[in-house]
Amino acid sequence: MRKYRLMVPGPTPTPPDVTAAAVLPVEDERTHAYAEVFTRVLGNLRRTLRTRNDVLLFTSSMTGAFEGTLQNLFAPGDRVLVASNGAFGERWIQMATAFGLDVTEVRHAWGEPLDLARIAGAAALPGLKAALAVHCETSTAMVNDIRGFAAASAPLLTVVDSASGVGACELRTDDWGVDVVVGGCQKALMTPPGLAFTSIGERAWEQHRHARLPRFYFDWDETREALRADVPRTPWTPAVSLISQLDVALRQIHAEGLDNVLARHVRLGRVARAGVRGLGLRLFSPDEDRHSAVTAAELPAGVDAGALVDLLLDRYALQLAGAQAPLDGRVLRIGHCGFMDEFDVLTALSAVELGLAQLGHPVRPGGGVTAALEVLHGRPGPRPVPDPGVRDRQPVP
């Protein structure tokens, strides 16, 4: 018998109290009692996003809220800039194109940081309405400089996909001037999938007045109007039990303290990256503290990531993730956001070591765990000075 360990970028494990909240009696969302839970959730989401903006909650995957953002901000033919350096940046390009927007693409090699000078140059093109980017690009483990992105994109409206960034990576929505942030609950917020949210600043509401794309379920006006009712609620039937679970998770996050939560994720990222290097593998993203939600390792020739993921699940009940094309088979991803601690990461590194050995790749016994423990002892080996021009590996076009 093996204990199942879920360590992918999302969904993530849920704390026991969050799991238990799923079996509470279902309440009518139109009561004052449940409205207290609902409004507390929205307030704690604002605290987590560090914003005073409106936050709207939807029962959907995050992709639903992404679509709703496009529907509520734009009209057919509107010009938008999308900065892409991974699979989810590419998804924004695909969605914007599907809705008939005129997309200016600022593409980067997968796993490369956003080139803020290129973005600033593209943002100066006439007629653009907004600039879109991904905060934590989990397909490559790259966490983008969103503060820099917002500054480089000025004065365009800024839209940020922080699906796996919220609660794991620093995000200061108001201080950084981010107009719209879209996120969800099944990653660092430690809740089962099914809820998504959008924070909307004043500039975004102003642009929303001119939006002409069809919308219904994700209509921001309908959703905000329901929040202003005598009993605040959603306009459509919400996932009542999931909201109760998210309420528990957010209260745990703020009981720990958001700064402490972010510091914990930074520590886990350091442990994971040191362990990857200790295994003799190359990191796929920079060895910097900003990369605190997921760690990506490039596997050596002859080791297929899919085969390694399958082996770790079958033999050790450890669920890690491979990568999407064009990285499929080459990159292994270790998720460490949400309900995680150092011993989860150490366990994952131990299993990866065993899996590599069983697939015929030579490894030094204990190399990954020893390097990771050195970080926890405060005695890490030499760490490379972060340099955007120096990479562990060749970029993927």
Side-chain angles (χ1 to χ4, degrees):
M1 184 175 66
R2 297 281 186 182
K3 177 183 177 182
Y4 178 67
R5 291 177 169 87
L6 178 63
M7 293 192 65
V8 299
T12 62
T14 57
D17 288 352
V18 174
T19 302
V23 299
L24 292 172
V26 175
E27 297 185 54
D28 184 346
E29 77 275 10
R30 294 161 294 191
T31 65
H32 288 284
Y34 196 77
E36 289 183 13
V37 175
F38 180 55
T39 54
R40 183 168 61 234
V41 165
L42 296 180
N44 279 329
L45 285 174
R46 286 191 194 90
R47 293 174 65 193
T48 307
L49 294 166
R50 288 176 161 150
T51 185
R52 294 184 177 87
N53 293 336
D54 292 310
V55 174
L56 308 183
L57 185 65
F58 304 96
T59 296
S60 79
S61 68
M62 278 180 273
T63 304
F66 298 158
E67 285 204 5
T69 296
L70 298 180
Q71 292 169 321
N72 282 275
L73 286 178
F74 304 114
D78 278 352
R79 297 190 63 198
V80 298
L81 182 157
V82 179
S84 170
N85 59 351
F88 296 99
E90 291 299 304
R91 180 181 292 183
W92 277 104
I93 292 173
Q94 293 165 6
M95 282 193 297
T97 301
F99 278 104
L101 305 183
D102 182 354
V103 181
T104 296
E105 303 170 8
V106 184
R107 277 197 165 99
H108 303 68
W110 283 35
E112 290 294 301
L114 295 182
D115 185 330
L116 300 181
R118 283 182 60 205
I119 291 169
L125 295 172
L128 288 168
K129 295 288 184 69
L132 295 80
V134 177
H135 185 195
C136 180
E137 177 58 80
T138 51
S139 65
T140 63
M142 170 62 70
V143 176
N144 289 312
D145 176 4
I146 294 303
R147 182 177 188 174
F149 168 75
S153 303
L156 300 180
L157 198 77
T158 49
V159 178
V160 170
D161 163 1
S162 190
S164 53
V166 175
C169 309
E170 185 176 22
L171 176 62
R172 296 180 178 273
T173 302
D174 292 356
D175 290 349
W176 295 353
V178 180
D179 296 293
V180 176
V181 176
V182 187
C185 64
Q186 76 265 29
K187 297 180 184 284
L189 300 191
M190 310 183 297
T191 305
L195 294 174
F197 51 85
T198 308
S199 77
I200 306 159
E202 287 301 320
R203 294 204 312 158
W205 281 114
E206 177 60 27
Q207 182 156 314
H208 168 71
R209 293 176 54 225
H210 307 286
R212 295 294 179 266
L213 285 170
R215 55 188 182 267
F216 188 84
Y217 183 80
F218 294 106
D219 190 307
W220 287 358
D221 289 320
E222 291 278 357
T223 307
R224 183 166 66 167
E225 191 64 27
L227 294 181
R228 294 172 172 173
D230 290 340
V231 180
R233 57 186 181 272
T234 60
W236 326 115
T237 303
V240 171
S241 296
L242 282 177
I243 293 172
S244 296
Q245 290 182 276
L246 180 58
D247 178 43
V248 175
L250 289 169
R251 282 189 284 155
Q252 288 193 5
I253 287 170
H254 291 290
E256 183 178 349
L258 184 56
D259 287 337
N260 294 328
V261 170
L262 299 178
R264 171 165 54 82
H265 283 87
V266 166
R267 185 167 63 252
L268 296 182
R270 291 176 182 173
V271 171
R273 293 192 301 274
V276 164
R277 289 185 179 277
L279 288 169
L281 305 179
R282 291 185 293 184
L283 292 168
F284 194 77
S285 55
D287 191 3
E288 301 171 12
D289 282 346
R290 192 165 68 228
H291 302 85
S292 54
V294 56
T295 295
E298 187 174 4
L299 296 179
V303 177
D304 178 75
L308 180 57
V309 168
D310 289 345
L311 185 152
L312 295 177
L313 180 59
D314 291 344
R315 296 195 182 181
Y316 305 114
L318 173 69
Q319 182 71 71
L320 300 184
Q324 297 99 324
L327 305 179
D328 188 30
R330 293 176 45 193
V331 170
L332 179 73
R333 295 180 296 155
I334 303 171
H336 40 75
C337 64
F339 185 49
M340 295 279 177
D341 65 17
E342 296 87 343
F343 297 101
D344 293 309
V345 178
L346 293 172
T347 298
L349 293 168
S350 301
V352 171
E353 176 190 308
L354 292 171
L356 289 170
Q358 287 156 16
L359 290 176
H361 179 70
V363 290
R364 179 168 57 91
V369 171
T370 297
L373 284 172
E374 286 177 345
V375 173
L376 295 175
H377 280 291
R379 301 194 302 269
R383 297 184 68 223
V385 176
D387 183 346
V390 178
R391 308 293 300 176
D392 262 358
R393 44 83 192 165
Q394 295 298 313
V396 177

